[in-house]
Amino acid sequence: SYLKFVSTTNSESVDMGVDLNLADGASVTADAFVLNSDETLKKDIKTLDSALDKVMSMRGVTYQFKHNPEKQEVGFLAQEMKNSVPEVVSTTNKGTLGIDYAKLTSVLVEAVKEQQEQIEELKAKLSKDNS
């Protein structure tokens, strides 16, 4: 089985105004999945605060989906992630919660930068103490 989108305007873009829902256990494979991120589409832009604290409050888990108990998965629980980074959690049309894992990249990058600042401060202190 396959799903084919055909544009009525012969363009390579197809606009959909509805969610695309897959059956439990179904997956999507693509060479790339690009999210809109152009600065001109955004407003009120601020650097993330306390990213390291957010990362430290996350709990990675292993689990099996009830519909596919043979396959071991890794990830997060959306209910817990709502406490850490609520911006990545959304409610599906079935009322369950989902996580946009791609958006976690920005939190992880800022956390690494915060951690690197701490490392540099400690290195400077050690260097000063050993002088």
Side-chain angles (χ1 to χ4, degrees):
S1 299
Y2 68 93
L3 176 63
K4 182 178 182 180
F5 291 99
V6 179
S7 170
T8 58
T9 61
N10 292 327
S11 71
E12 292 185 14
S13 175
V14 176
D15 295 322
M16 292 177 47
V18 296
D19 291 340
L20 176 61
N21 296 304
L22 302 175
D24 285 347
S27 61
V28 175
T29 302
D31 291 338
F33 188 80
V34 179
L35 299 173
N36 285 327
S37 194
D38 192 288
E39 182 179 12
T40 63
L41 301 174
K42 301 174 182 184
K43 67 178 190 173
D44 197 23
I45 299 166
K46 300 174 188 149
T47 302
L48 289 170
D49 290 328
S50 306
L52 186 55
D53 291 337
K54 292 176 195 305
V55 169
M56 293 303 293
S57 71
M58 294 177 192
R59 180 174 74 111
V61 298
T62 62
Y63 58 91
Q64 295 92 26
F65 279 110
K66 292 178 180 177
H67 64 266
N68 188 7
E70 299 83 32
K71 186 175 180 190
Q72 186 76 8
E73 304 279 352
V74 296
F76 300 103
L77 302 176
Q79 286 79 355
E80 292 179 4
M81 191 60 73
K82 282 180 79 169
N83 297 322
S84 302
V85 189
E87 298 88 347
V88 304
V89 179
S90 60
T91 304
T92 70
N93 60 358
K94 295 179 182 178
T96 57
L97 300 179
I99 297 173
D100 187 343
Y101 282 87
K103 290 182 180 176
L104 287 175
T105 304
S106 58
V107 178
L108 297 173
V109 166
E110 289 303 316
V112 168
K113 289 163 57 177
E114 284 181 30
Q115 202 169 55
Q116 190 60 38
E117 284 179 23
Q118 293 175 356
I119 291 169
E120 296 302 325
E121 288 171 10
L122 289 171
K123 285 170 62 176
K125 183 177 183 200
L126 281 173
S127 179
K128 182 180 176 184
D129 290 346
N130 290 333
S131 298

